[in-house]
């Protein structure tokens, strides 16, 4: 099979497509003939040597894929050879074959083509698990997502809006903020020209936001707490602004707030299976009826993986970058 191989750790130039040994599914696993995969921020971190795969996971980069079921491992019941599927992975997506725990296999939502489906698993599972299953965002609450034009952000805006929340987002350009507004964001904030805490206070009459989904980490920690409402929940899923920051406990106590740091990749298989099942039940119908649409920045062949990673590193993309096989 073909797979992306990293020659050490470093920039996009270390990535190349090579022939490697075929895969065989083990007990409880499904072999997928991959049609497409998608690029995530975590993939760039792994390429740089900062985010190794969890024990037992494939060393090949790639946290999601779409394709066709090619073989079933021992004890697998449900999927059939030939089914079109998409999947959440702990690694291995940048390859023509992927082995997937059966609980992380999901049907392609109705109306979505097989290649585009590769852009869905990671963002859908990340957003639904963190914003709704962990933070418990409710209809009529206020939600802030940082980086609204990225893969996570574009999905989070649409899902939170569809489920009845008021949505605020930050972004780095007028074009990206206009795109976020088109997706349903009620308030857009330029992180280059505006202080998001001041804007939050202004548009909420000083109340703050109920849930924040944050990819920045340390550099935003204090200001995120400032932006929280009473009993607000801050969920940190990325560290683009650093791994360390001062947590203002006095402010957090006064607000009876919560700060939660989570990751999806290293969770136990039963947890990920439960998340995938919840996504299929609650999110896929919204994708199927067009309420939520996958946002794809561009589609490139797997052989152009270095160009895809450069696009990710530069930050000019809107939505997901998809690689086809």
């Amino acid at each position: 099979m073909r797979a992306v191989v990293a020659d050490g750790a470093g920039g996009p130039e270390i990535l190349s497509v090579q022939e490697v040994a075929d895969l065989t599914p083990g007990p409880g696993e499904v072999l997928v003939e991959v049609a497409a995969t998608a690029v995530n921020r975590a993939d760039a971190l792994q390429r740089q040597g900062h985010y190794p795969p969890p024990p037992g996971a494939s060393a090949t980069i790639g946290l999601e894929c779409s394709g066709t079921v090619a073989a079933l491992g021992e004890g697998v019941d449900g999927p059939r050879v030939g089914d079109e599927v998409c999947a959440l992975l702990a690694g291995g997506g940048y390859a023509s074959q992927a082995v997937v725990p059966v609980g992380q296999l999901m049907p392609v939502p109705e109306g979505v083509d097989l290649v585009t489906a590769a852009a869905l698993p990671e963002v859908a599972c990340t957003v639904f698990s963190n914003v709704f299953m962990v933070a418990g965002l409710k209809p009529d609450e206020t939600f802030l997502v940082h980086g609204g034009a990225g893969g996570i952000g574009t999905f989070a805006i649409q899902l939170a809006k569809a489920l009845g929340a008021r949505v605020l987002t930050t972004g780095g350009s007028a074009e990206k903020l206009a795109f976020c507004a088109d997706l349903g964001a009620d308030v857009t904030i330029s992180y280059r020209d505006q202080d998001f805490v001041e804007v939050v206070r202004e548009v909420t009459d000083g109340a703050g936001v109920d849930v924040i989904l944050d990819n920045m980490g340390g550099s935003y920690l204090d200001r995120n707490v400032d932006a929280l409402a009473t009993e607000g929940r801050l969920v940190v899923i990325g560290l683009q602004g650093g791994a360390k920051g001062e947590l203002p406990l006095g402010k957090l106590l006064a607000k009876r707030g919560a700060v939660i740091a989570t990751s999806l990749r290293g969770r136990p298989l039963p947890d990920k299976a439960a998340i995938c099942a919840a996504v299929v039940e609650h999110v896929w119908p919204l994708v199927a009826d067009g309420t939520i649409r996958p946002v794809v920045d561009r589609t490139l062949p797997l052989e152009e993986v270095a160009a895809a990673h450069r696009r990710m590193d530069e930050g000019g993309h809107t939505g997901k970058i998809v690689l086809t096989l």
Side-chain angles (χ1 to χ4, degrees), residues 46-254:
Q46 181 173 335
R47 185 201 75 222
Q48 295 162 4
H50 302 314
Y51 192 29
S58 171
T60 301
I61 298 173
L63 300 180
E64 58 194 330
C65 71
S66 62
T68 305
V69 173
L72 306 178
E74 181 183 348
V76 172
D77 185 27
R80 296 174 297 178
V81 172
D83 284 353
E84 291 190 344
V85 295
C86 55
L88 180 71
L89 307 172
Y94 290 19
S96 57
Q97 295 178 345
V99 168
V100 186
V102 65
Q104 292 164 225
L105 204 68
M106 296 177 282
V108 173
E110 184 178 346
V112 177
D113 68 84
L114 189 58
V115 168
T116 302
L120 286 171
E122 178 69 15
V123 293
C125 291
T126 296
V127 172
F128 190 77
S129 65
N130 286 298
V131 176
F132 295 94
M133 297 174 75
V134 173
L137 181 68
K138 301 178 182 65
D140 300 323
E141 286 192 321
T142 304
F143 171 63
L144 167 64
V145 56
H146 290 297
I152 294 291
T154 53
F155 200 90
I157 289 168
Q158 294 181 84
L159 183 58
K161 189 68 176 178
L163 297 181
R166 185 187 187 195
V167 180
L168 290 68
T169 190
T170 60
S173 72
E175 293 78 14
K176 287 188 174 184
L177 292 175
F179 188 81
C180 292
D182 288 342
L183 290 177
D186 299 286
V187 178
T188 61
I189 306 164
S190 169
Y191 63 71
R192 300 187 191 278
D193 305 317
Q194 296 174 283
D195 181 340
F196 73 83
V197 178
E198 292 181 359
V199 176
V200 164
R201 286 173 175 159
E202 179 182 347
V203 301
T204 63
D205 295 325
V209 293
D210 299 291
V211 174
I212 300 175
L213 186 64
D214 173 60
N215 58 0
M216 294 302 293
S219 65
Y220 273 29
L221 184 57
D222 183 81
R223 288 193 292 157
N224 276 330
V225 173
D226 283 340
L228 282 179
T230 300
E231 297 186 351
R233 293 85 73 194
L234 164 63
V235 185
V236 180
I237 60 169
L239 303 174
Q240 293 180 43
K244 294 183 179 180
E246 287 195 8
L247 179 62
L249 289 173
K251 296 177 187 176
L252 199 63
L253 283 167

